[in-house]
Amino acid sequence: MSLELDCRAMLCPMPVIELGRHLADVEVGELLAVVTHDVAAAVDVPAWCRMKGQEYVGTDVADDGAPRHVVRRLG
Amino acid sequence: MTGSVPAQGDLDSASAAPLHPAAREVLLAALDRGYADPRRLHRPGREARLLLDNAREATADALGVRADEVTFTPSGTHATHLGLLGLVRGARRGDVVVHSAVEHSAVRHAVEWGARGEEVPVDAVGRVDPAEVRARAERPEVGVVALQSANHEVGTVQPVGRVDLPPDVPLFTDACASMGRLALPSGWAAAAGSAHKWGGPAGVGVLLVRTRARWRNPFPGDDRVDERSTGFENIPAVLAAAAALQAVVAEREEVNARHHGLVDVVRRRVAAEVPDVEVVGDPVRRLPHLVTFSCLYVDGEALVTELDRRGFGIASGSACTASTLTPSHVLEAMGVLTHGNVRLSLQRDATRADVDAFCDVLPEIVAEIRSRVGL
């Protein structure tokens, strides 16, 4: 994981906004993740990947059990 | 009393339409004539009974069903609860209701309350596969299948008439989003509609139960003219709803063609003029008057508020606009963006100028909201 964004306290649409802001912080081919309790992110992160041509890798959990949505930068 | 003039910018007919002009006079006249108890044999009672029977016949005629298949309820939600749970109560098999993942919350709540549910997933435009519905309905514990006529949030028409069910599994159709605008699909044993969505008064639902359907009242009964209804009928409202329904059916060819074209304009202009937007739902096989899209990086509540400031009333399925703070289960089931969501639905008299005015202001509003977060 190249970058993990702590969006635990954020509500929709802030986690996806953070993702958009920080995509360029990782190299092409690298992973970045959004950690958030916002339930909309489970749908909106994959949708964001589809709209922005990035790869949705999947959802796992962070160390504290919070959902972590993982994305690979493709371009 | 003067005729109502809805705000030009009211683009939320799927939530509620103003009273249809054809219903207004009927309602006013019926307020004086239809106040009495239709079960009573005295003259005012007979007068009320006549109006109630007229409303039932007019509704049946407009929908292409038998008059004795029509029951008036106090809401579309109640008609949905009665229709679905009545089929569950009469079911020959189990108490599982197979339903699409995009049913209205009235269906979901009814299932939660009085049955067990099994969801059928939908594709990216929000439509179920009839073969998948059939496959799930084969299970012996399945008593009823519920499938909406068209989706209330994204407009996609469901293949209700093409769902081939086992002979002892009845189909319930929530037709609230389409009743009046589109002909009823075929194949249902019970169906529900809601008058305020077609220009009738609020507080009138329509429950349809086929003559041969195994339907049993799931709630306490009553001693009314119609054995499926409970409580004192609101006869003026019911008659006005029937008048509006007749008028809507009579004019739907013209209105639907105009609405379909106007929604095409919105779909095209929004996709072309707003960056990072997803226009969802079936572009062709859909409700004529409704379109939904989602704007990336936009707070749905801010969008509703900014559009309202400029005179446009729209609905949103975004989490931040919901009391539950959860996103629309319809958008979720389709796997489309849930934030920055707009559902636009045209009122009856909408014009090209109305939708152009909306499309003209939208890009600037979206850009302004995005700029607040530096995007």
Side-chain angles (χ1 to χ4, degrees):
Chain A
M1 190 65 55
S2 301
L3 180 61
E4 192 173 282
L5 304 168
D6 178 9
C7 304
R8 286 175 177 80
M10 293 180 188
L11 284 176
C12 160
M14 286 311 294
V16 176
I17 289 173
E18 285 301 297
L19 194 55
R21 279 177 175 156
H22 292 284
L23 177 67
D25 296 354
V26 302
E27 299 298 323
V28 172
E30 287 183 346
L31 299 178
L32 79 158
V34 183
V35 181
T36 180
H37 293 287
D38 168 33
V39 290
V43 185
D44 287 357
V45 171
W48 175 87
C49 290
R50 181 164 38 72
M51 291 172 78
K52 303 303 277 183
Q54 309 300 326
E55 182 192 339
Y56 171 66
V57 176
T59 296
D60 56 15
V61 286
D63 295 340
D64 64 345
R68 185 174 77 157
H69 309 286
V70 184
V71 169
R72 186 188 312 278
R73 184 177 171 196
L74 297 182
Chain B
M1 194 163 172
T2 57
S4 67
V5 181
Q8 289 298 299
D10 181 345
L11 298 171
D12 194 16
S13 68
S15 294
L19 196 63
H20 193 289
R24 178 168 293 272
E25 288 305 312
V26 170
L27 179 63
L28 292 176
L31 286 172
D32 294 327
R33 286 180 60 201
Y35 68 91
D37 187 337
R39 293 172 303 174
R40 299 293 172 241
L41 300 178
H42 49 59
R43 187 172 164 169
R46 291 199 309 274
E47 180 80 5
R49 176 64 190 263
L50 183 69
L51 296 185
L52 179 59
D53 289 347
N54 284 350
R56 200 185 309 281
E57 274 161 30
T59 301
D61 186 52
L63 297 176
V65 301
R66 291 167 48 132
D68 60 7
E69 295 175 329
V70 175
T71 294
F72 296 110
T73 66
S75 68
T77 298
H78 190 59
T80 296
H81 292 170
L82 265 178
L84 176 56
L85 293 170
L87 291 180
V88 171
R89 188 126 192 258
R92 290 178 190 278
R93 310 203 311 182
D95 66 344
V96 170
V97 175
V98 167
H99 62 89
S100 83
V102 295
E103 294 299 310
H104 190 275
S105 58
V107 168
R108 297 167 70 88
H109 286 305
V111 170
E112 219 170 274
W113 185 83
R116 289 182 293 153
E118 188 183 335
E119 279 192 5
V120 184
V122 294
D123 62 16
V125 298
R127 183 174 287 118
V128 291
D129 175 356
E132 193 147 352
V133 176
R134 162 81 196 205
R136 282 164 205 254
E138 300 277 9
R139 284 173 42 208
E141 60 268 40
V142 174
V144 180
V145 168
L147 181 58
Q148 62 197 185
S149 57
N151 186 266
H152 52 291
E153 281 185 43
V154 301
T156 298
V157 169
Q158 301 291 352
V160 175
R162 292 195 287 120
V163 176
D164 173 32
L165 294 178
D168 50 356
V169 176
L171 177 71
F172 170 76
T173 291
D174 166 14
C176 290
S178 71
M179 192 172 277
R181 298 174 191 275
L182 304 179
L184 281 170
S186 58
W188 48 268
S194 179
H196 71 91
K197 292 182 194 293
W198 70 65
V204 179
V206 170
L207 166 67
L208 305 175
V209 177
R210 285 295 193 202
T211 308
R212 285 182 299 279
R214 278 179 62 88
W215 183 92
R216 303 289 180 269
N217 198 334
F219 303 135
D222 199 359
D223 303 309
R224 296 289 155 188
V225 172
D226 174 347
E227 61 179 19
R228 288 188 291 263
S229 72
T230 47
F232 193 93
E233 298 89 346
N234 185 348
I235 291 174
V238 156
L239 194 67
L245 183 64
Q246 282 187 311
V248 164
V249 168
E251 70 193 11
R252 73 181 169 199
E253 203 174 327
E254 180 275 319
V255 172
N256 287 359
R258 174 162 45 85
H259 280 178
H260 209 278
L262 292 175
V263 164
D264 281 342
V265 170
V266 176
R267 294 185 73 99
R268 197 173 56 240
R269 285 198 60 186
V270 167
E273 296 173 35
V274 180
D276 291 326
V277 73
E278 193 164 45
V279 183
V280 304
D282 193 304
V284 181
R285 283 185 292 154
R286 59 167 168 82
L287 292 170
H289 65 300
L290 188 151
V291 55
T292 291
F293 55 88
S294 296
C295 308
L296 196 57
Y297 308 136
V298 170
D299 178 333
E301 187 176 2
L303 195 48
V304 170
T305 306
E306 287 305 317
L307 282 164
D308 180 56
R309 267 163 39 97
R310 288 162 176 80
F312 297 100
I314 53 97
S316 173
S318 294
C320 54
T321 64
S323 54
T324 54
L325 288 179
T326 55
S328 144
H329 69 271
V330 173
L331 302 176
E332 196 175 1
M334 293 164 63
V336 298
L337 196 68
T338 71
H339 68 245
N341 179 257
V342 167
R343 181 191 70 182
L344 179 157
S345 50
L346 301 171
Q347 297 289 1
R348 173 174 161 268
D349 53 1
T351 64
R352 175 68 193 253
D354 297 335
V355 303
D356 276 341
F358 173 83
C359 293
D360 288 346
V361 303
L362 184 69
E364 165 202 329
I365 291 173
V366 169
E368 193 273 318
I369 295 171
R370 284 175 177 159
S371 75
R372 292 179 198 174
V373 292
L375 286 163

